[in-house]
Amino acid sequence: MTSTTELKQQQDQFWNGEMGETWVAAQDLIEVLLQPFEALLVEEAVNARPKAVLDVGCGNGPTTRALSHALGSEVACTGIDLSGPMIENAKARAQAEGLSIDFIRDDASEYVFGRQTFDFVTSRFGAMFFAEPKKAFANLRRAALPGARLRMIVWGSPEANDFMTLAPKVAAQHLPSLPPTDPHAPGPFSLSNPSRVSTVFSAAGWAGIQTEALTVPCGFPASELDHFVEKLAPTGHDLAAYDPQTANTVSAAIREAFNAYIEGDDVRFDAHVLLVRARAN
């Protein structure tokens, strides 16, 4: 079994290595793909009328910037992410847009925030990668004012998200005897079970926990599909570890499978997600 320390090291290496640079380079595609979820969180924030917002796992900062634009300069916005490349990019993008946002490069499960600082805590697919979720959300609870609202979007069940699980499913057909994956390990679907969400958040000091299942139409230009498959589609396997012929065969099969989602000039699919709502005790 992989230790907590090893899981943290893996996440740090992953997001500060090639993948961090990849997400910076692909930021325009990612923002088009995930914009519908950004809009949902901005609406939640506007309705909450916060004074200080924390965006967890902010990445390149699109949601943080959207929140700052929507809420106005009188609302303090902060973004935190483990990825150095993405945080530096987020800072540059915010500065170019004339926004005053505090971006922090650190692990949100361990960073010492000002105690009881934020009255709104949010995340767009950035909260599923903690090695110790209860510890992480307890740390976020300490950073939240009593009564603060939490609004996070996480992926729903992998079974419901065919588009997001297509690559590993196809890869598994060509790579037999792969070890089973731990559904609770850091990854896109670690918080996909509403029961686990309730257990983790309750143990971390949050109350009024609700998970609303949403089906959200998503898409991006079909001209970007090769780029998405090559750089962003999670295979669940390190194809570089295999011989070139096997790796090429698997890659070609994955790319072919994604053709099923092309509709005219676009790639279209439905994303099944959970909108998590909670408040600080």
Side-chain angles (χ1 to χ4, degrees):
M1 179 179 292
T2 306
S3 70
T4 298
T5 299
E6 290 172 324
L7 288 173
K8 288 182 178 180
Q9 290 175 343
Q10 289 172 3
Q11 288 296 307
D12 187 61
Q13 293 169 0
F14 184 80
W15 293 110
N16 285 292
E18 183 179 353
M19 186 51 67
E21 298 290 352
T22 294
W23 276 60
V24 170
Q27 62 181 327
D28 292 339
L29 170 57
I30 294 169
E31 291 186 21
V32 168
L33 177 62
L34 300 183
Q35 194 281 330
F37 309 103
E38 173 187 299
L40 287 171
L41 292 175
V42 168
E43 182 180 3
E44 292 282 333
V46 169
N47 291 337
R49 298 182 180 179
K51 295 181 179 178
V53 174
L54 175 64
D55 184 11
V56 180
C58 65
N60 290 307
T63 302
T64 331
R65 299 196 312 274
L67 288 165
S68 184
H69 280 297
L71 298 172
S73 59
E74 67 276 10
V75 176
C77 290
T78 300
I80 184 168
D81 199 279
L82 187 61
S83 173
M86 284 196 279
I87 282 293
E88 289 306 311
N89 183 50
K91 291 178 179 178
R93 292 288 295 271
Q95 183 177 11
E97 294 178 20
L99 299 173
S100 179
I101 298 174
D102 185 16
F103 284 107
I104 303 167
R105 186 278 191 222
D106 214 313
D107 183 344
S109 68
E110 298 180 346
Y111 183 77
V112 181
F113 296 97
R115 186 170 179 82
Q116 298 186 346
T117 299
F118 305 101
D119 57 354
F120 192 86
V121 179
T122 191
S123 179
R124 187 192 71 174
F125 299 121
M128 305 94 67
F129 302 96
F130 292 120
E132 298 177 280
K134 291 180 183 178
K135 175 182 177 181
F137 292 113
N139 192 43
L140 295 175
R141 169 60 192 88
R142 286 190 291 272
L145 287 160
R149 302 184 189 189
L150 178 145
R151 302 289 188 269
M152 293 185 173
I153 289 179
V154 300
W155 288 106
S157 72
E159 293 78 16
N161 284 288
D162 293 338
F163 184 84
M164 293 302 298
T165 57
L166 181 61
K169 286 179 180 177
V170 173
Q173 296 172 7
H174 297 270
L175 304 172
S177 303
L178 290 168
T181 58
D182 179 357
H184 293 168
F189 300 105
S190 68
L191 293 175
S192 63
N193 186 319
S195 177
R196 184 169 193 244
V197 170
S198 180
T199 298
V200 168
F201 279 71
S202 294
W206 295 90
I209 302 155
Q210 300 175 344
T211 53
E212 180 182 358
L214 301 175
T215 299
V216 180
C218 296
F220 57 89
S223 59
E224 294 286 350
L225 183 54
D226 286 344
H227 185 195
F228 174 84
V229 173
E230 180 182 354
K231 297 295 186 180
L232 299 175
T235 64
H237 319 289
D238 182 8
L239 297 183
Y242 295 88
D243 64 88
Q245 182 176 350
T246 298
N248 289 338
T249 297
V250 174
S251 296
I254 291 172
R255 174 60 184 86
E256 176 67 24
F258 274 101
N259 284 336
Y261 293 91
I262 297 177
E263 298 181 12
D265 294 330
D266 296 309
V267 174
R268 296 289 182 187
F269 67 97
D270 285 338
H272 298 272
V273 304
L274 299 178
L275 173 57
V276 181
R277 295 184 176 96
R279 70 175 184 277
N281 273 329

